[in-house]
Amino acid sequence: MKYFIFRNQTIEPFWDNNQVSFSGYDDISLIPDDVESYIWFYQVPPGEDDVVAEEVKTFLDKLRLVLDKILASKQFIIFSLCSLSNVNIVGSRNTLMIAINEFNQAVLDLANNRGNVRFIDFSKFVNQYPHRELVNWKFYFISQTLLNPKLAKDFQYWWKQKEKELALKRKKCLVLDLDNTLWGGILGEDGVAGIKIGGDYPGKAFSYWQRSLLELKRTGVMLAICSKNNEADVIEAWENNPFMILRKDDFVAWRINWHDKASNIQELAAELNIGLDSMVFIDNNPTERELIRQLLPVVETPDFPDKPHQLMSFLEELVNSYFRVYSVTSEDLKKTEQYKANAQRVAAQARFTDFNEYLKSLDINLEIQALDEFNLQRVAQMTQKTNQFNLTTHRYTENDIQQMSNEGALIYAISVSDRFGDNGITGEIILRPLEKDTMLIDTLLLSCRILGKRIEFAFLDTIINLVANKGIKRLKASYHKTAKNSQVADFYDKAGFRITHRDDDSKDYELIIDKQRDKKDIYTITIK
Amino acid sequence: MKERILQIMREVLDDNSIDTSSNQQNCENWDSLHQLSLISELEDEFDVDIEPEEIAEMTSFEKVKDILSTKL
């Protein structure tokens, strides 16, 4: 699998499902290692500003817990958070906006400090659309898809571009021509004062361009010159043209002569001790570019814009194509060792240092309800709809459920809430009587929305204690394999049941109830 | 219209064997997530709005066609 995506909303329609697998909703308990890269793609859920802001603050704690558990050599791509649905009402306290900004700032810090972490500015995608197109409430209400699924194709295209950028190796050196490339006009003809740099357009465009190249230099890109000119003229221009921004000291090396540019570039590579494949050549003359493409194909030679006002968009392309710091280099890998140590410190400062503490902070309430007229419909409906956390995948109607109950089955639903909201009834168990003191777990299922908080074990343990009090000494259970439920293949093993029979598509289990199971102090459990 | 629906279903559900007898039971890929993409595509293709109650009903090719034809 290429990507494993941590998410808190339904985002499947936006991804190529042959390439990705997904965490449960807001579920960080399972971190597979057989993937190439991880993606963190959380969205800001709709709701009251203050409440959502509190929830957003927990995202960072969770993200750090996850980062601590993965190998520092694996790429970890983090999407920035943007508010898709929340209305910023005039006069409100902006708590949510502040929380979102804090998250994004922290992620940028992580990306700057850890070689394997990449920051994806999701607002770049979102800002292409008017606000009302971002969320389609119908799809949110029926399937918890916040980002409008109509944007799925656009998103896939956008992500493909991002992937290309992520895969690029950063180039080291930008080799620049001078006349009509760094300034307008020809130095040999127009003279030091006549070339176009500074002042009004087009000189202004060349000034901005040079200033941006200077900024690029500050990020570690080497600038070099390869130009057909008289070296003395150029040095005079650097020294005496008051509008010149890039000057002699800004260039690591130059070849200003009348030799062919291919030889000059090879010399520059040798002098700087870098490979030709880490150079990008910028020249306004198509003949020169063609020469380099023919003779030195590993040198990147992008087309140059026709008009000076296009230089700024050209610069953006250059940066995106060649100078983003994305790929993990060997130096990054060395650095990641230090990051690991750092990470542990950061984690210690975070509000939770381990998963249990985090779970406790959620104030999770589990309410176990016996079957009644109010939950009957939901109980039947869940057997129809639940595919993933479903041990046997028996589908039942309301009549089936009622009849089982009449025949002595014990049927319980579980309702889950935490300090961020109430998920309602999200799981159930059906136990049918076999012999006097034995019951069969006919159905056990939970909605994927609540997974990742070990609620499944707390639920089962509570039920075991409950039936034990009713005199049950032995439970039987089974797992029936389907296309969708492999995640629960070992659930009963983990829950301490013993296998009595197995074949390719199913496993049967037994549990002798000899003692009450410990209650975890993580949850508040009530039985109705 | 029949062909347009079939074509979208084949594309979205990634299954060329889809025909007029297809439904959520006999088509393995047709789960709730694909349903979402399918509805989104059908809405765009036929320029209609499909209500949540109708989405829940659209569990076979025939029902998809019936509900869409009430809107055109």
Side-chain angles (χ1 to χ4, degrees), chain B residues 2 4 8 10 16 20-22 26-27 32 37 39 51 53-54 60 71:
Chain B
K2 192 180 99 182
R4 276 160 81 200
I8 288 174
R10 283 172 191 148
N16 282 324
T20 53
S21 73
S22 293
N26 64 25
C27 172
S32 58
S37 304
I39 299 301
E51 291 302 316
E53 294 78 5
E54 296 168 322
S60 67
K71 294 173 177 288

Side-chain angles (χ1 to χ4, degrees), chain A residues 219-442:
Chain A
T219 69
V221 176
M222 295 188 275
L223 303 181
I225 299 290
C226 180
S227 165
K228 287 181 173 161
N229 251 311
N230 292 322
E231 191 172 339
D233 294 352
V234 174
I235 289 175
E236 197 199 337
W238 279 336
E239 283 170 1
N240 296 330
N241 185 311
F243 301 108
M244 199 63 78
I245 289 157
L246 289 173
R247 292 179 186 270
K248 195 174 164 186
D249 290 345
D250 295 316
F251 301 100
V252 289
W254 56 81
R255 288 293 178 278
I256 301 169
N257 55 39
W258 301 89
H259 302 159
D260 79 274
K261 292 204 174 183
S263 312
N264 277 334
I265 289 177
Q266 278 174 312
E267 282 184 31
L268 284 169
E271 180 180 335
L272 298 171
N273 197 21
I274 56 175
L276 286 165
D277 60 356
S278 49
M279 301 178 110
V280 181
F281 175 57
I282 308 292
D283 197 311
N284 69 303
N285 183 334
T287 321
E288 299 288 9
R289 295 200 301 264
E290 192 52 32
L291 175 84
I292 300 306
R293 283 177 192 155
Q294 294 289 338
L295 294 181
L296 306 175
V298 296
V299 173
E300 292 288 348
T301 308
D303 284 339
F304 192 78
D306 296 332
K307 306 275 187 245
H309 63 76
Q310 295 163 333
L311 281 168
M312 295 314 282
S313 346
F314 176 60
L315 180 94
E316 199 177 332
E317 273 171 49
L318 275 184
V319 170
N320 283 336
S321 308
Y322 307 119
F323 298 112
R324 286 241 176 268
V325 204
Y326 274 135
S327 49
V328 184
T329 65
S330 53
E331 292 144 57
D332 289 337
L333 286 178
K334 257 182 266 156
K335 279 192 238 159
T336 48
E337 291 308 313
Q338 307 155 15
Y339 302 144
K340 276 211 122 165
N342 268 337
Q344 277 147 13
R345 265 195 302 277
V346 173
Q349 291 157 5
R351 283 183 288 177
F352 323 109
T353 46
D354 74 13
F355 193 68
N356 280 338
E357 225 180 294
Y358 157 66
L359 286 181
K360 261 192 212 168
S361 78
L362 290 177
D363 298 336
I364 298 173
N365 279 290
L366 308 179
E367 186 185 280
I368 312 239
Q369 319 169 346
L371 183 76
D372 62 26
E373 58 195 297
F374 300 107
N375 60 29
L376 171 63
Q377 188 192 8
R378 175 76 181 141
V379 165
Q381 188 192 43
M382 278 194 296
T383 69
Q384 301 286 344
K385 285 173 67 171
T386 310
N387 295 317
Q388 297 180 57
F389 196 105
N390 193 338
L391 274 301
T392 49
T393 320
H394 298 311
R395 310 295 194 191
Y396 294 123
T397 63
E398 286 179 43
N399 280 339
D400 296 334
I401 300 281
Q402 194 62 65
Q403 196 180 340
M404 279 191 283
S405 173
N406 296 344
E407 288 166 5
L410 296 174
I411 302 174
Y412 297 98
I414 177 170
S415 174
V416 179
S417 63
D418 61 29
R419 67 188 170 106
F420 300 119
D422 189 346
N423 285 296
I425 294 176
T426 38
E428 71 187 66
I429 188 165
I430 301 176
L431 303 112
R432 307 172 82 149
L434 291 178
E435 299 133 40
K436 187 167 60 67
D437 56 1
T438 305
M439 291 193 100
L440 166 72
I441 302 180
D442 172 279

Side-chain angles (χ1 to χ4, degrees), chain A residues 23 39 57 95 142 153 168 179 203 225 232 247 258 280 341 388 392 397 407 446:
Chain A
S23 75
I39 296 177
K57 283 179 193 160
T95 43
I142 62 177
K153 280 192 182 139
L168 283 172
D179 292 335
I225 299 290
R247 292 179 186 270
W258 301 89
V280 181
Q388 297 180 57
T392 49
T397 63
E407 288 166 5
L446 289 168

Side-chain angles (χ1 to χ4, degrees), chain A residues 10-13 17-18 25 136 138-139 142-143 145 148-151 153 385 387-388 483-484, chain B residues 11 14 28-37 39-41 43-44 48-52 55:
Chain A
T10 304
I11 52 169
E12 282 86 340
N17 290 309
N18 298 317
Y25 291 72
N136 184 321
K138 176 171 73 187
F139 292 117
I142 62 177
S143 45
T145 308
N148 189 347
K150 312 255 180 198
L151 301 177
K153 280 192 182 139
K385 285 173 67 171
N387 295 317
Q388 297 180 57
K484 310 249 168 73
Chain B
E11 226 170 85
D14 195 18
E28 196 186 333
N29 285 345
W30 194 349
D31 55 18
S32 58
L33 290 166
H34 282 89
Q35 177 79 341
L36 184 73
S37 304
I39 299 301
S40 166
E41 286 291 318
E43 286 189 336
D44 283 352
V48 293
D49 273 323
I50 305 173
E51 291 302 316
I55 295 172

Side-chain angles (χ1 to χ4, degrees), chain A residues 77-138:
Chain A
I77 301 161
I78 306 173
F79 278 62
S80 69
L81 280 177
C82 351
S83 171
L84 299 174
S85 64
N86 295 75
V87 189
N88 187 244
I89 299 164
V90 180
S92 73
R93 288 174 295 132
N94 300 325
T95 43
L96 179 56
M97 223 191 323
I98 293 166
I100 290 172
N101 289 342
E102 279 172 359
F103 176 90
N104 291 338
Q105 186 57 51
V107 172
L108 271 174
D109 286 347
L110 284 170
N112 284 333
N113 288 311
R114 294 192 186 201
N116 63 327
V117 174
R118 303 289 172 250
F119 177 82
I120 294 284
D121 188 353
F122 186 49
S123 71
K124 285 266 164 40
F125 175 77
V126 165
N127 290 342
Q128 301 176 93
Y129 306 94
H131 199 72
R132 63 175 186 283
E133 279 179 31
L134 292 174
V135 175
N136 184 321
W137 288 102
K138 176 171 73 187

